[in-house]
Amino acid sequence: LPDDRLALLGALRQLPAAQREAIALHHLADLPVHEVAATVGAPVGTVKARLARGRAALAVLLAEPDPHQHRVPAHPPTPPLAHPERSEP
């Protein structure tokens, strides 16, 4: 299998079962939302929520890492200077 298909399968396995089932039936088996609802025995609104949450989770799982994010700074930050305690007269 191509790398992108392997990545998709791996990401699908990480979804909760209900989201994975809704995604598979709707996007892979091409069932309309109302048929997915009838198949899984859930209200249409519940299936829509599972699809939205599943797609959002897949987007995060499959996102390319931003090469500019989590960069190690060239120099470690300078710690703040310690202020000597002031004595009151």
Side-chain angles (χ1 to χ4, degrees):
L1 289 173
D3 288 343
D4 57 342
R5 290 183 64 97
L6 288 174
L8 177 59
L9 289 174
L12 281 168
R13 286 187 188 113
Q14 295 180 57
L15 294 180
Q19 291 176 10
R20 183 172 54 248
E21 181 179 43
I23 295 282
L25 290 172
H26 183 64
H27 291 289
L28 302 178
D30 290 326
L31 291 181
V33 172
H34 71 276
E35 286 186 31
V36 174
T39 301
V40 301
V44 170
T46 300
V47 170
K48 288 180 178 182
R50 290 174 183 172
L51 287 169
R53 290 182 184 123
R55 285 190 295 258
L58 287 174
V60 170
L61 291 167
L62 296 171
E64 293 288 328
D66 183 353
H68 301 292
Q69 195 173 27
H70 303 296
R71 290 189 304 183
V72 177
H75 301 286
T78 306
L81 296 175
H83 295 286
E85 292 187 32
R86 295 182 186 181
S87 56
E88 296 288 326

